[in-house]
Amino acid sequence: MVEYAIQADGLTKSYGALTAVDHVDMRVPDGGIFGLLGPNGAGKTTIIKVLTGLSDITSGEASVAGFNVRTEPMRVKERIGWVAAEVILDDDFTAWENLWLQAKLQRLTDWKPRALELLRYFNLEDRRKDKVQTYSTGMRKKLEIALALLHQPRVIFMDEPTIGLDPGTRRMLWELITGVNREYGITILLTSHYIEEADALCGQISIIDHGKFVASGAPSELKSRVKADFIELETTEAVDEARLKAIPGVSEVRSQGKAWILRVASAEEVLPRIFQSLKTDGIRRINVEKPSLETVFLDLTGKRIDQAGSEIRDYRKFYASVRRARG
Ligand SMILES: Nc1ncnc2c1ncn2[C@@H]1O[C@H](COP(=O)(O)OP(=O)(O)O)[C@@H](O)[C@H]1O
Ligand SMILES: [Mg+2]
C-alpha cells in the first residue's frame, strides 16, 4: 500500500562544496497538492531533480509513488510526470505531433484515446493540427501539462508552472492545476516563488531557503504562526538602525539592500510614529505586509522572496532515460 505519494528522509544533494538540498524530510499524502516555496537558488529544482531520478541523491532516502528513488528509479519514472519551468515544445510540430513524440519517447502503445481526451480537457482539440509556434504561452503550458499526463502518472512534478506568465494566464493555469488534481486524482508537487500561488493552490507547503526547510504546514497554519506586521521602508537619506529601533512598537529591525524591514505589533499604530520620526519627505517608499506567507518567510529568514529567474533544464534527457530503460 502506498502511504505517501512522496516521502523523503534526510534527503541531501551536494554539488561539490555546495549543499543545494540539506537534510530535507517530506511527507506528501496521496492525492494532494504540495508546494515548495522559496527564492531563486533555494534548492527547489534540485529537489525535483533528485525525486525524479534526474540527479543522484548524495545522502538520505526518498520514495515516490511507493518506490525507492535510489534502488527502483525506473519504477518511479514510469509513475511520474514532469513539467519543466521553461516551455519546451517542438515549435515546428503540431500539438498532435508533440503528443506523438512524447508517446515515442516513452514507448507508449495505445496512447491516442488518452491524447484526445487530454486535448479535449485542455481545450486544445480544435488547434491540435496547428503548429505550436502559433500558440499563446498559456496554450503551450497546457500542452506541456497534457504531455506530462499522457502516460497516466500517479505523481506529477511542476517546476514553477506559471513563471513569466501574465496574471490572467496564471489564474487560468491555477484552475487547470486544481482541476487536474481533482479530476485525475493525481498528486502534484509544484515549486514556486510566487507567494499567492502557493497560498491558492497548495494544501501543504514547505518553505525552503538555502536548501533547508524552514517551515512546513498548511498555508493558513503557517500564517497564523506570525503574530506581527512588517513594514518595509526605504528612505532618501541614510537613517541609523538605532533610530528605527527607538520607535515604540518596533520589535525588530533588519536591513535588506537599500531598505529596512521593521517587525511591528500593529502597522496601523506604528505607521504614524514612523512618519513623525522620519520626515515624510525622507521616505522614498513604504510598504505594509499584513500576515501572509510573505511575512512567514520574512519572519523566518529576514528576507523577502525575490523574483526568481530560471535555468535550462534537461527535459529531453529525462524522457530519454525512460526510453532507454524500457529498451
Ligand atoms: N548542476 C549544478 N551544479 C552546481 N550547482 C548547482 C547545479 N544545479 C543547481 N546548483 C546550485 O544549487 C542551488 C540550488 O539550485 P536550484 O535547485 O536550481 O534552486 P531553485 O530551483 O530553488 O531556484 C543553487 O545555488 C544553484 O546554483
Ligand atoms: Mg528552480
Side-chain angles (χ1 to χ4, degrees), residues 229-248:
D229 296 337
F230 288 83
I231 296 173
E232 193 183 10
L233 174 73
E234 215 181 296
T235 55
T236 50
E237 276 149 52
V239 257
D240 69 79
E241 196 174 329
R243 188 155 153 219
L244 298 171
K245 274 194 177 137
I247 300 171

Side-chain angles (χ1 to χ4, degrees), residues 85-140:
E86 307 76 22
V87 176
I88 307 167
L89 295 166
D90 255 297
D91 255 11
D92 289 331
F93 279 16
T94 67
W96 190 254
E97 287 163 346
N98 269 286
L99 284 155
W100 165 83
L101 181 63
Q102 185 74 4
K104 276 261 180 217
L105 281 170
Q106 299 201 298
R107 296 196 181 243
L108 303 178
T109 52
D110 198 25
W111 55 275
K112 287 179 183 167
R114 170 80 170 177
L116 267 177
E117 179 203 324
L118 288 166
L119 286 173
R120 221 168 282 141
Y121 184 82
F122 289 104
N123 240 326
L124 294 170
E125 200 186 3
D126 295 345
R127 298 289 304 275
R128 70 180 185 280
K129 291 176 183 164
D130 295 338
K131 286 189 177 181
V132 165
Q133 61 197 0
T134 67
Y135 283 21
S136 68
T137 318
M139 287 168 72
R140 286 162 182 250

